Amino acid sequence: MSACPTTLPTSRPTEACPAADCADVNASCRLPVLTLFAGAAFWLVVGAGFALIASIKFHAPGFLADFAPLTYGRVHPAHLNALAYGFAVQAGLGVTLWILAQTSKARLALPGGVFIGALLWNLGVLVGVGSVLGGGSTGFEFLEFSQAGSVSLFFAYLLLALSGVLTFANRTVPSACVSQWYLLAALFWFPWIYTTATALIGCVPVRGVTLAVIAWWFANNFLFVWLGLIGLGTIFFLVPKFAGRSLHSRQLALLTFAILLGFGAWAGIPASAPVPAWLPALSAMGAFLSLVVVIAVAFNLKQTVGKYLCTRSEPSPKFIGASVWFLMLFTLGNATTACAAVAATTGFTWLTPALTQLGLCGFFATAMFGAVYYIAPQLTAAEGCCARPAKIHFWLNLPGVLFLVGPLAVGGIKQGLALSHTATPFADVTKATLPFLRASTMGDLFLLLGALLFSVNLGRLICGCIKKCCGAAGCCRTKSEVAS
Amino acid sequence: MLRRGGLLPHQIGGGVMNRGPVIFFSAFLAFAISFFAFVLLPQTQIGRQPLATVDGVANAYPAARPGEAHQGAEIYRANGCVTCHSQQIRQTGNVFDVVLTDAGTNLTAVLTAMNNHLNPAVEFALTDVTNALPKTILKAVPTKAAAEALSKKFTEAGAKTDLRVMPVGPDIARGWGLRRSVAADYLYDTPPLLGSQRVGPDLANVGMRLPDANWHLVHLYQPRAVVKDSAMPPYRYLFTTRKIGATPSADALVFPAGFGPEAGYEVIPTDAARALVAYLQSLRVDASLFEAPMTAPAK
């Protein structure tokens, strides 16, 4: 494994890492990172299952309606939270820790802490999802978890992030590469926004719509900035690897970084919100300026890979390529719907959840699949073994996202137009939207199948590794891992 | 272990970003700005907003929710009603109606004003001036200035006029509310259940729109009994169905013909269902505020 290509010029002899060789780095990551991946896969299946249940309710409202925990208003937030906290954060942190260890050429710090942190995080998600299903939701989107769940998540995160920061501090490579900026910033970002939001909403609540403003602010900082930082950090690490050359421009990546943090963090207040008008206006400006991110990322990656990435047949580059496209559509959609004139029609429609799904399942989850299919075989010393099932997963994931987001977006626009046409009775508006919601069930089904296949693929890799460890000692575990 | 310097040309742009503290502080700066703008400033501006003064009465709006309605808000939150129902009314603007309240003493002057400034196709008679006051003489004037200029013609003739502020927009045309929602409407709501979607209709003003408790209970138990082809799931778990005893319960739901439980059974709402309906009935946005003026309909 070579170091991050943006930081080690080819003219300079590659330094051997003095502290740890690459097998050593992988060995230090094995248990903690695979634990995070396994947890992520579990919640991905749970989240996708809940999504399917919620979706079927639009075919038959009475489906599972007499069992309170599975009523639509509980199962839908449970689905989003299981995906966001159970899958996205865990997969994101697993990938982050591995990339930080690789690019730092240092063993993962505190592997035991990460393992405990991962268990604690899963406990937090379990308590949180349980509270949502049990009727204990806080009523704020993406902050529905009960306080017990949130506290567990917070401490678990501190353990996980601490490991990442210490790994970076122990680096044996003099310079920091682009993906390290993104991933480190993300490690810091989440506790800031999460403590602000949970403290001001749950512990010492502020009053009235200020609560809603903070919840919107958090949701955007989580969905766009945090997922954006982790996703882009991963993409900026993997794409140069796939292309076999260094990232085209560090400066452009720095601009992207600055805009995503500086202006991306302003977006998220809906144009129609019952708050002082400057708030949505400022927010729309942030969303609009975030378009620079899309342009800069697209240009930077295009210059890096040329025509190479698209023709590549391995699964990881395919996932990453799709993810970049989804990110572009997601940011474009966010910027467009932030304009007051557009929001007058698209506000309160299915276009909003369509964009959320595009960011979460489209951009982020797809990038994570690509990364896990790249990382997990290395961690389990089983390179290239899951290329075929991973490719099948890609062909379940892509139509899954398209069939989920496409109908919701088109249905949402139609719904918005019908809602502004006041002569159309509301019942007719709903009736016209239903076929689109029903079509999106197909997307949910594909995504659930994809999630199951992902879990099976990952499970097979992990089982293979365990078998090897038990069969021939030392094949999978190295001395250094035992020592750490 | 960390060696500095020796950067190559392609690293210059992000050279300073090789240092961990620089990454930390640049992220922190971005966070601090965002926190300042979207957490601190809103809290400073509307976080300590007092209750609104309505009709000269201080701290009059919004009214605190009575106990049962307050519990109902918890049922609403727990069951995720906010997933499908928004509670915010949007408004595209205001139009103004000019109402003649008193014709004064110089009726001919008022009649002249009417014939000169109102609908030229109509020839007004003196009886139009005196009969059935107050009378809306101009409807939906697009700007306040134009409405005031017109009403001035009448005050100059010695009459008295009223300017009515009529909020407009698709939400209001649908009958979902009287005016747009503003921050002051949610002062008692923790959490404010604003919602982001309208899978079902907006509920900001459902208490004024649909005041009948039995309608709400039947709708919760069996939505399609009162709304044809409703996509809302039934909330039967908020009710108990039991055999009718010696005397039917006074609390039993009254269903439209063809709906309801089988013969000999009655549906009784639980406390949760009753609280939820009390909450729905308490949802009303009916006060004219400084930031969202409207002329309230006669009560």
Side-chain angles (χ1 to χ4, degrees), chain A residues 257-410:
Chain A
F257 180 73
I259 301 274
L260 180 61
L261 282 180
F263 295 113
W266 294 8
I269 312 289
S272 64
V275 294
W278 64 266
L279 268 167
L282 190 65
S283 204
M285 200 179 95
F288 198 72
L289 284 171
S290 301
L291 283 174
V292 177
V293 170
V294 177
I295 299 161
V297 168
F299 182 75
N300 213 347
L301 293 180
K302 181 88 186 69
Q303 293 299 100
T304 307
V305 297
K307 284 179 185 166
Y308 190 55
L309 191 65
C310 310
T311 55
R312 185 108 180 196
S313 63
E314 269 114 74
S316 283
K318 270 185 189 296
F319 275 109
I320 296 296
S323 160
V324 173
W325 280 105
F326 290 142
L327 172 67
M328 293 203 264
L329 287 175
F330 173 55
T331 317
L332 192 64
N334 270 349
T336 315
T337 53
C339 299
V342 179
T345 305
T346 61
F348 303 118
T349 70
W350 282 97
L351 189 61
T352 317
L355 285 173
T356 306
Q357 297 286 13
L358 187 61
L360 197 58
C361 299
F363 156 63
F364 191 75
T366 308
M368 287 305 112
F369 295 144
V372 170
Y373 283 129
Y374 181 81
I375 296 168
Q378 296 190 33
L379 285 181
T380 53
E383 267 171 87
C385 77
C386 60
R388 224 185 125 72
K391 225 178 283 176
I392 301 173
H393 180 196
F394 178 81
W395 288 112
L396 286 171
N397 185 63
L398 184 69
V401 173
L402 294 180
F403 283 131
L404 175 64
V405 174
L408 289 187
V410 176

Side-chain angles (χ1 to χ4, degrees), chain B residues 17 80 98 160 166 169 174 178 184 186-187 195 198 220 256 277-278:
Chain B
M17 295 291 283
V98 180
K160 282 182 185 160
M166 317 294 278
R174 282 189 184 279
L178 304 172
Y186 306 93
L187 286 176
R198 285 176 179 166
L220 285 170
V277 170

Side-chain angles (χ1 to χ4, degrees), chain A residues 213 217 265-266 269 278-279 282-283, chain B residues 30-45:
Chain A
V213 171
W217 171 83
W266 294 8
I269 312 289
W278 64 266
L279 268 167
L282 190 65
S283 204
Chain B
F31 168 76
I33 293 171
S34 174
F35 178 91
F36 177 77
F38 291 94
V39 178
L40 208 57
L41 277 185
Q43 169 63 10
T44 318
Q45 189 181 3

Side-chain angles (χ1 to χ4, degrees), chain A residues 138-162:
Chain A
T138 62
F140 295 98
E141 254 178 301
F142 285 103
L143 286 167
E144 278 101 343
F145 283 0
S146 64
Q147 249 179 46
S150 308
V151 169
S152 177
L153 290 187
F154 176 73
F155 286 108
Y157 189 94
L158 287 191
L159 279 174
L160 297 166
L162 186 64

Side-chain angles (χ1 to χ4, degrees), chain B residues 102-124:
Chain B
D102 184 357
T105 46
N106 193 350
L107 296 182
T108 2
V110 177
L111 180 63
T112 318
M114 279 173 93
N115 280 324
N116 286 350
H117 302 294
L118 301 186
N119 189 352
V122 182
E123 183 72 24
F124 292 96

